[in-house]
Amino acid sequence: MDDRRPEHWLTACALLYGLTHHIGFGLAWLGTVGDTRWADWADILTPYAVLLTAAAALHTGRADVRCWALYLVGAVTYVEGHGIHLAANSVGNDTPGIPVVHLWDEVVGHYLWYAGTALVFAALARALAARPAPPMRYALIPALVVAVTWTTNSLEGGTAVMGLVIAAAFTVWGVRARRHLGRTLVPAFAPAVVALAVYGIWHRGFPEPTELGWI
């Protein structure tokens, strides 16, 4: 019997990525605790949720040294970016309008965080893309969760151009691996390519949804 543990961990990683990367919006209704928000405290769990499940997928998928090296660089970048974002965002929520907070949260933090995410995804793809493909009906929902999350993070995080380029690269990777598990990269990133491109053309740029009053 085939060992499906890598796919199970990969699914968990995708779903937790979608959940935790929307935690600030999803838990905003909880309000504040002291000078911070409850959502900020919950967001501390994000790197553990995403990176540990990704590592489990790599371990059970018997990733080689190069995959682990790529994962390590991605994980460090992810944690650094997320930590910068979380701290600066929390300060900004308490004391709005500080330019340096915007720099570290919306620019440095987001670019590092999402670049780290892409590197972790690349490590997963390199390790698992050649595995037998499960029925698409099982992989479609986690893949679409990734697509939606990558799109919303790229737009609201101010990294839309980088997000579009990376999504296009993963889509091509998925097409080339279409006879194997790697084909799930197509529904995970092709919708993001379309959504980001249409959004950019429609608005003649990439204003954040909050700037448009959508959130």
Side-chain angles (χ1 to χ4, degrees):
M1 181 180 293
D2 291 338
D3 184 0
R4 308 306 294 181
R5 289 180 300 165
E7 286 78 7
H8 295 161
W9 283 115
L10 187 63
T11 298
C13 182
L15 296 177
L16 287 170
Y17 164 68
L19 176 66
T20 58
H21 277 236
H22 291 114
I23 209 165
F25 172 76
L27 297 183
W29 60 274
L30 289 175
T32 60
V33 51
D35 294 328
T36 63
R37 301 184 308 164
W38 282 110
D40 295 337
W41 291 96
D43 200 12
I44 292 174
L45 298 175
T46 295
Y48 297 98
V50 175
L51 297 178
L52 291 180
T53 51
L58 292 174
H59 174 68
T60 55
R62 299 181 180 179
D64 61 21
V65 173
R66 291 183 179 181
C67 288
W68 280 112
L70 182 58
Y71 169 82
L72 180 60
V73 174
V76 170
T77 306
Y78 182 105
V79 170
E80 182 173 37
H82 176 265
I84 291 171
H85 152 77
L86 176 57
N89 191 57
S90 186
V91 172
N93 288 329
D94 181 62
T95 311
I98 303 175
V100 72
V101 169
H102 180 272
L103 170 67
W104 288 108
D105 176 17
E106 297 292 328
V107 183
V108 179
H110 285 169
Y111 272 99
L112 285 174
W113 186 12
Y114 301 151
T117 304
L119 291 173
V120 170
F121 285 169
L124 290 168
R126 188 179 186 279
L128 305 177
R131 289 178 59 84
M136 185 56 75
R137 64 181 180 274
Y138 297 135
L140 187 58
I141 290 178
L144 291 178
V145 168
V146 171
V148 170
T149 306
W150 188 262
T151 302
T152 58
N153 282 188
S154 296
L155 290 175
E156 190 58 30
T159 60
V161 174
M162 182 183 79
L164 179 58
V165 172
I166 291 173
F170 275 121
T171 300
V172 172
W173 194 341
V175 171
R176 296 180 65 179
R178 60 187 176 275
R179 292 182 176 84
H180 305 284
L181 178 60
R183 70 182 184 179
T184 56
L185 289 168
V186 176
F189 287 97
V193 172
V194 174
L196 290 170
V198 170
Y199 186 96
I201 293 170
W202 181 20
H203 294 287
R204 297 183 180 181
F206 296 98
E208 295 179 13
T210 50
E211 296 174 356
L212 301 174
W214 290 10
I215 299 176

